[in-house]
Amino acid sequence: MDSKPQPFVSIVTPVYNTEKYIAECIESVLSQTYTNWEYIIVDNQSVDKTNEIAQYYAEKDKRIRVYNNENFLNMMQNWNHAISQISPKSKYFKVVHADDWLFPECIEKMVEVAEENPSVGIVGSYRLDENKVNLDGLPYPSHALPGHQVCRLILLHGLHLFGSPTSLLIRSDLALNREKFYNESNIQADTEVCFDILQNNDFGFVHQVLTFTRRHNETVSCFATELGTWRPAKLLILKKYGRIYLTEEEFDEVYKTAFNQYYRFLGLHLFRLRKKEFRQRRNEFYTYHKKALEDLGYPVYWGKLFKASLVVLYNHILSQLRIG
């Protein structure tokens, strides 16, 4: 890539009250070995020092601009609003969440794979997830696979390739041609959009650790883990895209397995939430999942839920007897 002009890259960070982390995030962008970029920071009416810190960096580097929302937006609306600010001149865009950061070679290596494989729409890599390296990669030394094949591997074998928005580089035309990049009704919209894009594009991969994801109690990921939001979201994605990537027989088997796993999860929490320390969260938990099932077109099957909770209780008793 040294012998030809670097494609223009739009980097986007939606922010809200992230004064603890935003400077580290911005510094990681400034430290990139790749230089032909713009950096758009979209502030969702922060009330801490986030905007002040962002403005400080914008005054130091003209490639950085800060956009202040006139009205407060919910998280997914703000993500979409931030992506809508990318330059129409950009060839690729990269989301970097405010509490994450990039290793210095991140954009250079991801763009290199995308440029070498014009059919690629999304590029991923390994990531440092707090203190663990994760995400499943492509078979080395392959740097690209057909999107259809990648999605089949994910649905059939549970591969974890996409990570979070920070983990990916995406071709800009795939966002600029959409009214809204993310489905605002799906908390796992970042995964859903990958399945949508890969219908007609390939997936690229860099065999290096290029991004850092932070885990803490303030993040959406912790909320998602506590409530298990990814489970109904997985069913939503399966229902929407499963038959595109799987045979009817494969789809029926995968969907049935995911649905049963979802009910076992609900059964576990029916058992756990009877305990005093969980009772105050019981209503929030079941209100969320009752709505999620309704959105999928199902009522709550109380008999199935009760049966699942009995299985959990039975396994719990067995484990206690073994310990005893």
Side-chain angles (χ1 to χ4, degrees):
M1 289 186 63
D2 294 337
S3 61
K4 58 183 180 181
Q6 294 180 332
F8 189 49
V9 176
S10 289
I11 307 167
V12 181
T13 297
V15 297
Y16 176 68
N17 290 349
T18 55
E19 66 176 5
K20 288 194 294 185
Y21 310 112
I22 187 60
E24 186 177 19
C25 176
I26 297 172
E27 289 285 357
S28 78
V29 174
L30 291 171
S31 298
Q32 291 299 298
T33 55
Y34 198 91
T35 58
N36 191 23
W37 48 258
E38 65 171 354
Y39 188 19
I40 306 154
I41 301 170
V42 179
D43 184 17
N44 196 23
Q45 297 194 342
S46 295
V47 295
D48 62 2
K49 294 183 179 178
T50 297
N51 193 274
E52 179 182 330
I53 295 168
Q55 294 288 358
Y56 167 77
Y57 282 100
E59 291 172 4
K60 291 177 61 177
D61 195 313
K62 293 181 179 179
R63 293 173 297 177
I64 301 173
R65 59 187 172 94
V66 181
Y67 185 97
N68 299 310
N69 288 354
E70 294 182 4
N71 300 301
F72 180 80
L73 304 174
N74 67 35
M75 182 194 73
M76 206 60 70
Q77 289 172 338
N78 196 40
W79 284 14
N80 275 330
H81 182 57
I83 291 174
S84 73
Q85 306 302 313
I86 69 174
S87 170
K89 297 179 181 178
S90 66
K91 188 170 183 180
Y92 305 103
F93 78 94
K94 178 110 187 62
V95 174
V96 188
H97 283 172
D99 45 3
D100 299 341
W101 46 262
L102 309 178
F103 284 89
E105 289 187 317
C106 179
I107 297 176
E108 178 186 347
K109 295 298 183 181
M110 286 185 163
V111 170
E112 185 176 298
V113 166
E115 288 292 283
E116 290 175 354
N117 301 273
S119 60
V120 161
I122 304 173
V123 180
S125 73
Y126 297 115
R127 70 174 173 182
L128 181 61
D129 192 344
E130 283 288 352
N131 59 355
K132 296 179 180 178
V133 173
N134 62 18
L135 297 185
D136 297 309
L138 302 185
Y140 186 82
S142 172
H143 286 292
L145 278 182
H148 192 273
Q149 183 178 344
V150 166
C151 290
R152 280 183 56 80
L153 289 171
I154 292 170
L155 294 176
L156 291 173
H157 304 293
L159 295 189
H160 190 33
L161 284 167
F162 302 143
S164 73
T166 299
S167 311
L168 305 172
L169 178 86
I170 301 175
R171 219 171 59 226
S172 291
D173 65 292
L174 299 172
L176 294 169
N177 292 335
R178 295 167 178 259
E179 182 180 352
K180 292 182 179 179
F181 188 67
Y182 293 120
N183 174 5
E184 294 177 0
S185 64
N186 184 1
I187 197 168
Q188 300 290 329
D190 54 318
T191 299
E192 180 183 338
V193 77
C194 291
F195 277 94
D196 193 62
I197 288 172
L198 293 178
Q199 291 181 78
N200 302 301
N201 298 276
D202 295 344
F203 181 76
F205 192 82
V206 183
H207 297 275
Q208 290 180 225
V209 178
L210 295 179
T211 65
F212 170 82
T213 296
R214 191 185 308 275
R215 304 286 178 179
H216 53 80
N217 290 333
E218 300 162 26
T219 60
V220 173
S221 58
C222 287
F223 170 80
T225 300
E226 185 175 342
L227 281 188
T229 59
W230 66 269
R231 294 179 183 273
K234 178 180 179 180
L235 286 172
L236 179 96
I237 292 169
L238 264 173
K239 199 170 184 180
K240 193 170 182 178
Y241 297 101
R243 289 184 173 89
I244 294 172
Y245 296 109
L246 305 175
T247 66
E248 194 65 32
E249 183 178 354
E250 288 170 337
F251 171 79
D252 288 343
E253 182 63 30
V254 170
Y255 195 87
K256 179 181 177 181
T257 299
F259 194 77
N260 288 337
Q261 288 174 343
Y262 184 21
Y263 262 87
R264 282 197 291 273
F265 167 78
L266 294 176
L268 170 65
H269 280 71
L270 183 65
F271 173 66
R272 287 182 65 214
L273 294 174
R274 294 180 62 84
K275 299 179 181 179
K276 184 178 180 180
E277 62 269 29
F278 294 111
R279 285 177 189 167
Q280 61 188 17
R281 291 153 52 191
R282 187 188 307 168
N283 288 342
E284 178 188 13
F285 181 87
Y286 281 103
T287 297
Y288 179 87
H289 287 286
K290 182 175 182 293
K291 174 69 164 54
L293 282 166
E294 288 172 352
D295 290 344
L296 285 164
Y298 303 110
V300 177
Y301 298 121
W302 292 105
K304 188 177 182 68
L305 181 56
F306 182 67
K307 181 180 178 181
S309 66
L310 287 179
V311 171
V312 171
L313 179 60
Y314 175 74
N315 289 335
H316 175 72
I317 293 171
L318 279 183
S319 67
Q320 293 301 310
L321 289 173
R322 291 192 189 100
I323 293 172

